[in-house]
Amino acid sequence: MSGKFSRIPFSSCNLSDSFFDSLKADYPEFSDWFLRKSRSGEVAYVFQNERSAILAFMYLKKETEAIQLCSKIRPSRTRLKIGTLKLSDSIQGQRLGEGALGNALWRWQQSSANEIYLTIFPHHTVLMDLVTKFGFANIGKNERGEYIFLKDKSKLQLEDPFKSFPYLLPNFSKAGYLPVYDDYHDKLFPYSELYRTNQETEEVVAANGITKIFLAFPPSALHHKVGEPVIIYRIYTGATGKTYKSVATSYCTLTRIVPIISHRSKQVSQDDFLNLTRNKTVFSQQELQDLYRQKANLTLIEMVYNGFFGKGHNVNHKALSEAGLFSGHPYNIELTPNEFLTILQMGDKNVSDLIAN
């Protein structure tokens, strides 16, 4: 798998592919709609495997019309609609639904639309559970029998980093860095790209979703707390140029911290450790078992991938050091809220667009 969604013209997708059969069954007008989009040059967000087979398909559009519900009408306003979201039945457990939803919510964050919504037939229970986890509310049914799930920027649930995603939680008291070696970083954070770096993402489901598991091997207890934001710091492992090539690439919110091993004392059984890491880490089952046996200290950190700086906007070690934002080992650096926001600004981010209100 490529590890990320790409924007592909409708005209480049084969409507006769069996991937689209369930959409044709649910929506008799789907084929005509698809052909109209193809003729008008519209694009969709598509995830393909190495053989160019479609594994996930999503279409986003901006609209202004009212939402017709059975019991009421949601007034007209500018909204982003997830017009189509379809996943292949062959990829259960691959976390592409989470990856697609994350892409949609990033686009919504960048838009002027206050609301984003999608329609879901009642038999798609897994999709309903997923959008509910990420803060969509069921506001009723339409005449077709679909539920309408909607998320509103002015009504974010600020106590939950998943429901407020992609926005960062406000009122945090401190932040920090999570250092990730380049090879692991590029597998786990496929959108956090660098110039002149060939980031070939392996076929690992960790890359597909927006919930990540990071395994830390700190010599002492970490200062991080659940709910805090962190800067993802990519450690360059080449022989030269580390101060220019080690860079801050991304920002996340911590959602769970579990000490697994502390000073060679096992805090969690191996089976429980393997269950906790399933689908969200870049390590194989054998590598995880080896880490469990060999490491003196091991902490599991779950986080949600709020955003990334992108090519040409990553902040290198030299710039961080000169700004007084990087002194000592990254595990031990505690950033004040203002220092964390400064790094976001150095990555060319508009802070006011990133923090939940």
Side-chain angles (χ1 to χ4, degrees), residues 7 45 58-63 67 74 77-83 99-118 131 133-137 149-158 160-168 210 306 308 352-357:
R7 286 166 55 88
Y45 293 88
M58 179 177 67
Y59 171 65
L60 301 177
K61 72 167 184 171
K62 186 172 284 189
E63 63 178 35
I67 299 176
R74 190 90 175 188
R77 67 183 309 178
T78 300
R79 298 183 177 91
L80 190 66
K81 181 180 181 182
I82 304 175
L101 191 60
N103 270 276
L105 289 170
W106 280 330
R107 301 298 178 268
W108 171 62
Q109 183 183 38
Q110 296 162 5
S111 77
S112 59
N114 221 48
E115 297 176 348
I116 181 172
Y117 81 101
L118 73 165
V131 300
K133 176 182 178 180
F134 281 91
F136 285 75
F149 281 85
L150 181 141
K151 186 168 181 173
D152 188 332
K153 288 179 182 177
S154 65
K155 297 179 181 178
L156 296 174
Q157 299 180 50
L158 303 183
D160 187 324
F162 291 105
K163 293 187 183 301
S164 61
F165 179 89
Y167 291 92
L168 294 161
I210 50 177
N306 292 97
F308 49 91
S352 63
D353 292 338
L354 305 182
I355 308 294
N357 297 316

Side-chain angles (χ1 to χ4, degrees), residues 48-54:
Q48 297 173 300
N49 65 14
E50 62 280 359
R51 298 182 300 278
S52 297
I54 298 176

Side-chain angles (χ1 to χ4, degrees), residues 54-346:
I54 298 176
L55 300 181
F57 181 96
M58 179 177 67
Y59 171 65
L60 301 177
K61 72 167 184 171
K62 186 172 284 189
E63 63 178 35
T64 56
E65 57 260 36
I67 299 176
Q68 300 285 339
L69 302 171
C70 289
S71 58
K72 58 184 176 180
I73 297 177
R74 190 90 175 188
S76 300
R77 67 183 309 178
T78 300
R79 298 183 177 91
L80 190 66
K81 181 180 181 182
I82 304 175
T84 305
L85 176 55
K86 171 69 170 68
L87 309 175
S88 169
D89 294 335
S90 67
I91 54 157
Q92 290 186 8
Q94 297 293 301
R95 305 177 64 235
L96 286 180
E98 189 181 282
L101 191 60
N103 270 276
L105 289 170
W106 280 330
R107 301 298 178 268
W108 171 62
Q109 183 183 38
Q110 296 162 5
S111 77
S112 59
N114 221 48
E115 297 176 348
I116 181 172
Y117 81 101
L118 73 165
T119 62
I120 307 176
F121 278 111
H123 58 274
H124 294 304
T125 56
V126 173
L127 181 56
M128 287 193 288
D129 288 344
L130 176 64
V131 300
T132 299
K133 176 182 178 180
F134 281 91
F136 285 75
N138 185 345
I139 62 170
K141 268 188 177 181
N142 62 19
E143 292 183 351
R144 197 198 294 262
E146 298 167 298
Y147 289 117
I148 312 298
F149 281 85
L150 181 141
K151 186 168 181 173
D152 188 332
K153 288 179 182 177
S154 65
K155 297 179 181 178
L156 296 174
Q157 299 180 50
L158 303 183
E159 74 286 352
D160 187 324
F162 291 105
K163 293 187 183 301
S164 61
F165 179 89
Y167 291 92
L168 294 161
L169 299 179
N171 304 320
F172 58 93
S173 60
K174 65 180 180 66
Y177 292 100
L178 282 184
V180 187
Y181 286 109
D182 44 18
D183 184 46
Y184 296 126
H185 170 280
D186 297 349
K187 296 172 187 174
L188 196 59
F189 300 99
Y191 295 96
S192 302
E193 296 176 322
L194 286 76
Y195 275 134
R196 294 177 295 278
T197 299
N198 181 22
Q199 291 190 213
E200 291 294 335
T201 304
E202 292 183 3
E203 189 173 357
V204 287
V205 294
N208 299 338
I210 50 177
T211 306
K212 309 292 184 180
I213 291 286
F214 175 73
L215 297 180
F217 316 116
S220 57
L222 295 170
H223 69 81
H224 302 292
K225 305 294 182 185
V226 169
E228 290 179 353
V230 291
I231 296 292
I232 303 301
Y233 180 72
R234 181 184 188 270
I235 300 175
Y236 174 67
T237 56
T240 60
K242 289 186 177 182
T243 194
Y244 293 97
K245 295 183 179 180
S246 291
V247 292
T249 68
S250 323
Y251 45 98
C252 299
T253 301
L254 303 182
T255 54
R256 179 161 47 168
I257 301 174
V258 183
I260 305 298
I261 304 171
S262 179
H263 301 292
R264 300 199 179 278
S265 174
K266 304 289 196 288
Q267 309 296 307
V268 172
S269 72
Q270 178 173 289
D271 286 345
D272 287 343
F273 169 59
L274 295 176
N275 285 331
L276 286 169
T277 54
R278 184 186 303 137
N279 287 359
K280 297 173 187 174
T281 176
V282 298
F283 296 104
S284 68
Q285 188 92 341
Q286 185 59 56
E287 288 173 325
L288 290 169
Q289 292 172 345
D290 291 343
L291 291 172
Y292 187 84
R293 287 195 299 268
Q294 297 168 6
K295 292 296 181 181
N297 295 287
L298 174 58
T299 300
L300 180 150
I301 300 175
E302 181 190 73
M303 64 193 116
V304 63
Y305 185 20
N306 292 97
F308 49 91
F309 299 135
K311 287 182 179 179
H313 303 282
N314 296 305
V315 187
N316 65 31
H317 174 265
K318 184 175 186 293
L320 292 169
S321 296
E322 289 178 348
L325 299 170
F326 204 107
S327 58
H329 193 283
Y331 275 137
N332 299 326
I333 299 172
E334 294 190 30
L335 299 169
T336 68
N338 282 338
E339 288 173 334
F340 174 79
L341 298 179
T342 295
I343 296 172
L344 296 185
Q345 292 168 339
M346 293 171 70

